[in-house]
Amino acid sequence: MTGTFRLIGLELRRISLPLVTAFTTSFGSENHRDILLLRVELERENTIFEGWGECVAPNDPTYSAEYVAAAEMVIEQHLFARLAGSERIAAAEVHRLLRAVKGHPMAKASLEMAILDAELRAEGTCLATHLHGDQPLTRDRIPAGVSVGIFADLDQLLAAVQGYVDDGYQRIKLKIQPGWDIDPVREVRALIGPELGLQVDANTAYTRHDAAHLRLLDEFDLLLIEQPLPEDDLLGHRDLANAIDTPICLDESIISVTTALDAIDIGAAEIINIKPGRVGGYLEARRIHDLCRDRGIPAWCGGMLETGIGRAANASLASLPGFTLPGDISAAERFYARDIVVAPITLVEGNVVVPTSPGLGFDLDQGILEAATRSTRHLRSESR
Ligand code: SMG
Ligand code: MG
C-alpha cells in the first residue's frame, strides 16, 4: 500500500442511538449509547480520501477507565496534532505515533480505524483482505454469537434467550454477577439443551475468594468464563484456572500483545477475547490474534455494542483463522432499531457475512446519521 498520505482534517461527531432494550452488566445498565464517530480527511497528490472510525468508549468509565467525553477530549487536545504533524500518515504508523500518550486505547483505535478506512478505500481493498496479508481468505461468513444482559427475573431472561435461539444465534453469552449466576446458567442450559454453545461474562465482578462458588458453574459445560476477577489480577485468574474446569477467558485484562503474552505464559488466559478498541486498534488486535494462533490459544472477537461501522470491521477481523470461537458479533437489530449504515448487519442462517467492499465495509445512511447527530467539531491540520 502506498503511504504518502497526510492527515489534513478530522470531524468529531457525537451521535445518540437508543438501544432496543436496556443492556445490564455487572457494572451498570444503559438504554442508549452516546457514540463518538470520527471522519478523517487524508490528502494524497491533491486528492482527498475520506475515512470513518468509531470510538467504542462507552457513556461512563465503568467497563474501563475510558468514556466517550474523555475520548473526544484526548483526541482533540493530544492525539490529533501528533498525527496531523506527521509528514506521512499510514494506519500502520498510528500506534507508534501515539505511543507517547499513555492509555486511551479506544480513542487511539478510532483514529487508526478512520485512517485505515480511508487508505483501504483509496486502494480499493476490503479490511478482511488487508488483515489476512498474504494469507488466503478462508471464510466468507462467521458464526454469530449474542451477549445477553442481566434481567430483573429469570422469566424475562429465558424469554430473551429463546428469542435469540429462534433468531439462529450459534452461541449465547450470559452476563453474570454475584446473585445472578448459577441459577440463570442452570435454567438457560436447560432451555437451550446440551449442544448450543453457552458462556458467561462477569466483567470483573468476583474476587479471589469466590473460587468454590464459581466451581459450581463447571457442571453446565460452559465454553468459558470471561473476566471473573479485576483486570489487574492476573495471578488470581491463574489460580482460578487451576481451581475450576471451566476455561478462563480474559477480556478487560488484555490491553496489548504484551499483556496477552504474559497472561498466556503464566496460565491466566486459557482463551482470549480480542477487542480492537481495548487494545488500541485493529492492527494490535491482529498481532494478538497471531500470538493466540501460534500458541494454540482459542480466540474470539468481542463487541462493544458497535454501530454498523465497528460491526463491519469486527466481522472482517473475525474472519481471520485464529478466531476459532464464535464472537460477540450479532445482527445490528440486537441493539439498534435503526443502524446508521445503509445495509445493517443481519443474520444469515446464524452467520454474519464478512464485508467485501473497499474500506471497513459499510456505507453510511446520511439521513439516519444526521438525525442521530448531537454535535460536530472540526479540526484542521495547522499547516493547511
Ligand atoms: O457488542 O455484542 C456486543 C456487546 C458484547 O457483552 C458485550 N460486551 O465485556 O464483553 C463485554 C461487554 C462490554 C460492553 S461495555 C459497553
Ligand atoms: Mg467481556
Side-chain angles (χ1 to χ4, degrees):
M1 183 178 293
T2 47
T4 51
F5 294 103
R6 289 198 60 225
L7 174 62
I8 61 164
L10 174 67
E11 176 183 302
L12 298 137
R13 182 184 286 252
R14 292 272 285 274
I15 66 168
S16 178
L17 288 182
L19 297 177
V20 289
T21 54
F23 186 57
T24 302
T25 63
S26 63
F27 56 78
S29 192
E30 55 187 346
N31 55 25
H32 85 284
R33 298 280 289 170
D34 175 355
I35 301 164
L36 173 64
L37 303 181
L38 304 184
R39 183 176 63 83
V40 295
E41 287 174 27
L42 302 190
E43 185 235 60
R44 183 175 68 185
E45 291 161 6
N46 295 320
T47 305
I48 303 293
F49 297 93
E50 192 179 271
W52 287 85
E54 171 175 354
C55 181
V56 298
N59 305 5
D60 300 313
T62 45
Y63 164 81
S64 68
E66 280 188 287
Y67 62 105
V68 61
E72 182 169 9
M73 200 182 290
V74 77
I75 290 169
E76 185 172 342
Q77 297 183 359
H78 299 281
L79 303 181
F80 175 70
R82 288 170 195 270
L83 302 183
S86 179
E87 267 308 302
R88 298 172 62 228
I89 191 77
E93 296 294 312
V94 170
H95 201 263
R96 182 182 62 79
L97 288 167
L98 300 181
R99 197 160 47 200
V101 175
K102 305 295 188 217
H104 302 284
M106 296 174 184
K108 293 174 178 176
S110 64
L111 280 163
E112 181 201 81
M113 194 178 178
I115 292 167
L116 191 54
D117 186 43
E119 279 180 1
L120 294 174
R121 285 176 192 264
E123 304 302 329
T125 306
C126 73
L127 179 60
T129 299
H130 177 71
L131 291 172
H132 277 74
D134 49 18
Q135 301 296 310
L137 270 65
T138 52
R139 35 186 178 173
D140 59 6
R141 57 190 58 197
I142 50 164
V146 63
S147 174
V148 185
I150 292 167
F151 283 85
D153 61 56
L154 287 173
D155 287 346
Q156 289 180 43
L157 171 70
L158 295 177
V161 169
Q162 185 62 55
Y164 296 129
V165 171
D166 294 345
D167 289 342
Y169 282 100
Q170 299 199 36
R171 76 83 167 117
I172 306 288
K173 159 168 141 179
L174 300 182
K175 292 291 190 179
I176 59 167
Q177 64 183 9
W180 183 267
D181 45 26
I182 313 302
D183 288 344
V185 170
R186 177 183 293 109
E187 296 279 330
V188 168
R189 181 50 97 195
L191 177 75
I192 67 177
E195 298 299 327
L196 196 63
L198 181 63
Q199 62 192 57
V200 294
D201 185 1
N203 288 109
T204 76
Y206 295 87
T207 74
R208 288 182 174 199
H209 308 293
D210 290 322
H213 178 72
L214 293 173
R215 199 169 164 69
L216 298 175
L217 290 170
D218 282 348
E219 68 174 285
F220 305 114
D221 193 25
L222 300 179
L223 288 165
L224 57 93
I225 176 171
E226 182 179 346
Q227 200 68 42
L229 308 181
E231 60 272 27
D232 58 353
D233 194 2
L234 282 189
L235 296 184
H237 283 104
R238 177 202 60 189
D239 293 346
L240 188 59
N242 289 329
I244 70 176
D245 295 335
T246 305
I248 303 288
C249 170
L250 294 184
D251 173 357
E252 285 91 330
S253 295
I254 305 299
I255 57 172
S256 62
V257 72
T258 308
T259 50
L261 187 56
D262 287 355
I264 293 168
D265 271 352
I266 68 165
E270 297 170 287
I271 298 175
I272 290 184
N273 166 340
I274 301 178
K275 276 182 190 164
R278 198 194 61 225
V279 303
Y282 282 80
L283 303 183
E284 184 79 353
R286 186 186 50 191
R287 289 189 278 273
I288 297 174
H289 160 275
D290 295 349
L291 170 73
C292 290
R293 189 199 47 203
D294 294 349
R295 293 297 188 97
I297 294 290
W300 54 281
C301 182
M304 292 293 285
L305 299 87
E306 285 88 349
T307 72
I309 299 177
R311 207 166 282 273
N314 286 350
S316 306
L317 176 69
S319 70
L320 288 167
F323 287 96
T324 52
L325 291 171
D328 282 340
I329 301 183
S330 54
E333 65 171 17
R334 185 262 172 266
F335 289 114
Y336 303 112
R338 190 61 189 88
D339 200 344
I340 56 170
V341 294
V342 173
I345 283 187
T346 55
L347 292 201
V348 181
E349 293 166 353
N351 297 292
V352 165
V353 174
V354 178
T356 54
S357 58
L360 305 183
F362 64 88
D363 281 308
L364 288 170
D365 182 318
Q366 290 297 334
I368 302 285
L369 179 64
E370 292 305 330
T373 297
R374 296 293 172 268
S375 68
T376 48
R377 305 170 68 79
H378 292 90
L379 308 180
R380 309 239 24 112
S381 163
E382 277 173 13
S383 61
R384 305 296 297 181

